[in-house]
């Protein structure tokens, strides 16, 4: 997984050069992290950054990420 950009409360990453960037966004008011695919598809919620990266790395590419 390559980290492409880090901004306040948001990390943009891609697992492979052929994948479009995905987003990991922290919501401080909620205390949770939201993981989304390149077109904004919901991948999941996480409590820690490690869990968010793990969910993104294990995302079912056939259902969540474009081919």
């Amino acid at each position: 997984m390559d980290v492409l950009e880090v901004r306040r409360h948001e990390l943009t990453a891609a697992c492979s050069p052929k994948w479009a960037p995905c987003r990991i966004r922290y919501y401080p008011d909620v205390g949770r992290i939201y993981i989304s695919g390149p077109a904004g598809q919901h991948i999941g919620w996480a409590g820690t950054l490690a869990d968010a990266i793990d969910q993104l790395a294990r995302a079912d590419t056939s259902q969540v990420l474009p081919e």
Side-chain angles (χ1 to χ4, degrees):
M1 180 176 299
D2 295 327
V3 175
L4 305 175
E5 181 180 8
V6 177
R7 287 197 240 157
R8 184 177 181 186
H9 302 298
E10 184 172 288
L11 179 133
T12 305
C15 291
S16 169
K18 64 182 179 177
W19 288 5
C22 300
R23 302 213 183 318
I24 298 173
R25 178 152 173 82
Y26 175 66
Y27 289 91
D29 294 339
V30 181
R32 301 280 316 235
I33 300 169
Y34 180 75
I35 307 109
S36 62
Q41 308 96 318
H42 171 77
I43 293 176
W45 286 93
T48 65
L49 180 58
D51 186 28
I53 291 171
D54 183 56
Q55 284 188 43
L56 182 57
R58 295 173 184 251
D60 184 351
T61 57
S62 65
Q63 296 178 3
V64 177
L65 302 174
E67 294 187 27

